[in-house]
Amino acid sequence: MKQSGFFDVEERLARLSGLGDQLEAFSRTVDFEAFRPDLDKALAYSDGSKGGRPPFDPVLMFKILVIQTLNNLSDERTEYLINDRLSFMRFLGLGLSDRVPDAKTVWLFRERLTQAGAIDGLFNRFDATLRNAGYLPMSGQILDATLVAAPKQRNTNAEKADLRAGRIPEDWQDKPAKLSHKDRHARWTLKFTKAKRQDDGTMPSSDLAIPFFGYKSHVSIDRKYRFIRKWKTTHAAASDGARLREGLLDKTNTASSVWADTAYRSKANEDFMEKQGFVSKVHRKKPHLKPMPRHIQKSNAGKSVIRSRVEHVFADQKSQTGLFVRTVGISRATMRIGLANIVYNMRRLLFLERLNARVIPPFLVGH
């Protein structure tokens, strides 16, 4: 068998480029160096004067988290695939002979960012990059939330009651190993789905209520470009509507309209939006024990055309990147969901840039 050489690797990479390497498109479009100040501040590495092996470059490690999020990979699988895939190595700037971070190093890096609460700064840094590129929040905003699954906990009813009350169950307090594996922040809730027609053609009398355990991702996207502009992570049983008043509205949007489903319709929210200068386009609820008035049905239908755009965000995150929380605790869940939101915005930027490149003929660029 012929021993592979430098030019063989280059030929293989060129073939990957021709087949459409998404990570190569990320490297061309996203300025990852923009994240370095926030990473350096959060990590606070020593200057190396005390010796020891120097840490891996923070930007390289952050790009590993991007790879993880894009492909829904565990730390162990990430380590293996970086060693295995030329496209991953090229994206990270690693050669075949370079040292690759192991799974423990990836975990420690992400954990350090988590403990520093760095994800908000990293998200805002990329949002500033989008704005500088001309993608300003425009045409109003759309709010919604989606459930994000986490590993189920096998707790007794008494333990569940303690957790809901904000207490650590007595039986866990002297067992630190057990406590570290127990998620005290995720919650059970019911996920309602529309009933489907049966094989015999009949429709069930009620929709389905499926028990669900995990967290909830709340987002606000701009109507014009559909980038996530504001976001928040809560346990799965948290109310959607109350989050509207907790920093989920973007005051920098060039338009004041706010679209959302009926979960966000309340007097408190309507008063809040009016005081803050927003115009409510929130769906109206059906009157209790009365038919929905025709004019409200028509109004809600018109709002749905716009509001439904936010559902594409969650569909993209779950189908393309397999959004799922593997970790324990809301801090780590926030880190996971925050990374998913950053990566979604990166993928959205790639799509818009490609769209713009197709719209503008090459001979007009620069004129």
Side-chain angles (χ1 to χ4, degrees), residues 104-267:
K104 183 66 173 180
T105 302
V106 174
W107 184 90
L108 288 171
F109 176 79
R110 187 177 57 252
E111 187 70 4
R112 196 156 184 169
L113 292 181
T114 301
Q115 297 305 318
I119 190 63
D120 282 329
L122 294 169
F123 179 89
N124 292 335
R125 177 68 66 176
F126 189 62
D127 186 61
T129 300
L130 295 174
R131 293 166 188 259
N132 291 337
Y135 294 103
L136 299 175
M138 300 175 70
S139 305
Q141 56 197 296
I142 312 170
L143 275 61
D144 205 355
T146 190
L147 294 169
V148 182
K152 295 181 178 65
Q153 304 283 293
R154 307 299 179 184
N155 301 326
T156 66
N157 289 334
E159 290 170 341
K160 291 177 183 177
D162 284 336
L163 293 174
R164 283 194 294 268
R167 299 187 298 266
I168 298 176
E170 184 177 352
D171 192 41
W172 300 0
Q173 294 179 11
D174 58 348
K175 299 177 181 178
K178 181 176 183 177
L179 186 60
S180 67
H181 288 87
K182 287 292 187 179
D183 196 327
R184 290 173 283 151
H185 304 114
R187 292 289 184 272
W188 284 97
T189 190
L190 291 176
K191 180 180 181 180
F192 293 93
T193 60
K194 292 290 183 182
K196 297 181 180 179
R197 190 175 298 277
Q198 301 297 305
D199 293 337
D200 60 4
T202 60
M203 287 292 293
S205 59
S206 61
D207 293 335
L208 301 176
I210 303 172
F212 185 95
F213 183 80
Y215 293 91
K216 189 176 285 186
S217 170
H218 308 261
V219 304
S220 171
I221 70 168
D222 69 278
R223 179 187 172 192
K224 173 71 173 179
Y225 298 113
R226 306 186 199 180
F227 286 113
I228 297 172
R229 301 294 182 170
K230 297 288 183 180
W231 62 281
K232 188 178 183 69
T233 301
T234 65
H235 61 75
S239 164
D240 293 359
R243 307 288 84 77
L244 180 144
R245 306 188 301 275
E246 297 178 356
L248 207 57
L249 292 177
D250 183 10
K251 295 182 179 180
T252 67
N253 197 293
T254 60
S256 57
S257 297
V258 176
W259 285 266
D261 63 28
T262 55
Y264 296 85
R265 169 68 69 167
S266 69
K267 187 177 186 307

Side-chain angles (χ1 to χ4, degrees), residues 2 13 66 72 97 147 164 219 222:
K2 186 183 77 169
L13 288 172
V66 170
N72 191 25
S97 60
L147 294 169
R164 283 194 294 268
V219 304
D222 69 278

